[in-house]
Amino acid sequence: MAGDRSQSPVFPVDYFEHTGASLTFLLIDALAHEKESKAAPATLDAEQLRRILDHIDKNLDDKIEAGTLAGVARLSVTHFKRLFKATTGMTAGDYISRERIHKAQALLRQGDMTVADVAACCGFCDQGYMDRCFRRFCRCSPRDFLPKGRIVRKNGPDVQAKPGKTGHNGGTF
């Protein structure tokens, strides 16, 4: 009766014990990974962030590179970029541009400098780049800003580079 299917296959008892143990392990592992994914992302500690922001403030009129900021934070460049964005909600380049625009606004309000001079004092590579950044943050040109005196909002429009762009100054911030 080789073709008789009325009999059920015979499995050793330990087969079910191993299968049950394997399924239990997989369930526990899946639950553990679910908790890990819901954990808060890593961020910069307060001391690292203070050192980075102080460095940016002191060198706002100079070229600021990601490698330098990563060194200040004592991190690799990739890790620094990821943690800075997780901590502040913006990239380091966006933060630096925003701070440069704040400084440019203050200088423009004083009224004793040309727009080109303001661009040079604020660390922009040229007046055209400052004009583009100004339009992104303030939605007006630096010349239009002079009579209006508008201030960049803290929660202003996002500054996102187009895909494939490296930024001004040859890939620096």
Side-chain angles (χ1 to χ4, degrees):
M1 296 208 149
D4 185 14
R5 295 182 183 207
S6 62
Q7 291 183 346
S8 62
V10 178
F11 291 99
V13 174
D14 61 342
Y15 171 81
F16 292 106
E17 290 174 2
H18 291 297
T19 304
S22 296
L23 291 173
T24 303
F25 174 77
L26 290 172
L27 179 62
I28 291 171
D29 190 51
L31 290 172
H33 286 297
E34 183 181 5
K35 287 181 182 179
E36 287 175 9
S37 66
K38 291 181 180 178
T43 57
L44 294 166
D45 65 40
E47 179 62 22
Q48 285 174 315
L49 186 60
R50 185 194 59 75
R51 284 195 317 263
I52 292 165
L53 299 182
D54 285 348
H55 181 83
I56 290 171
D57 270 353
K58 291 175 185 169
N59 298 289
L60 203 55
D61 55 342
D62 294 325
K63 188 164 126 176
I64 301 173
E65 296 181 352
T68 304
L69 294 177
V72 169
R74 297 183 185 111
L75 299 168
S76 70
V77 175
T78 305
H79 198 58
F80 159 74
K81 288 179 178 181
R82 186 169 39 82
L83 292 181
F84 189 90
K85 179 146 186 167
T87 305
T88 64
M90 63 178 64
T91 65
D94 292 346
Y95 178 84
I96 293 166
S97 293
R98 188 185 76 179
E99 293 304 305
R100 285 179 172 158
I101 292 297
H102 282 295
K103 183 176 179 180
Q105 286 177 329
L107 293 173
L108 288 169
R109 265 192 231 104
Q110 290 175 1
D112 55 350
M113 296 176 76
T114 67
V115 176
D117 291 338
V118 169
C121 287
C122 294
F124 290 103
C125 57
D126 58 42
Q127 181 180 340
Y129 183 71
M130 184 181 96
D131 186 60
R132 288 188 300 277
C133 285
F134 217 92
R135 287 178 191 277
R136 273 187 254 154
F137 280 103
C138 304
R139 297 190 177 139
C140 69
S141 72
R143 281 184 175 58
D144 293 339
F145 174 83
L146 291 171
K148 294 179 187 173
R150 294 195 315 180
I151 298 173
V152 171
R153 297 175 313 200
K154 288 288 184 186
N155 297 331
D158 292 334
V159 178
Q160 294 293 325
K162 293 180 182 172
K165 296 283 185 177
T166 58
H168 74 289
N169 289 339
T172 63
F173 294 122

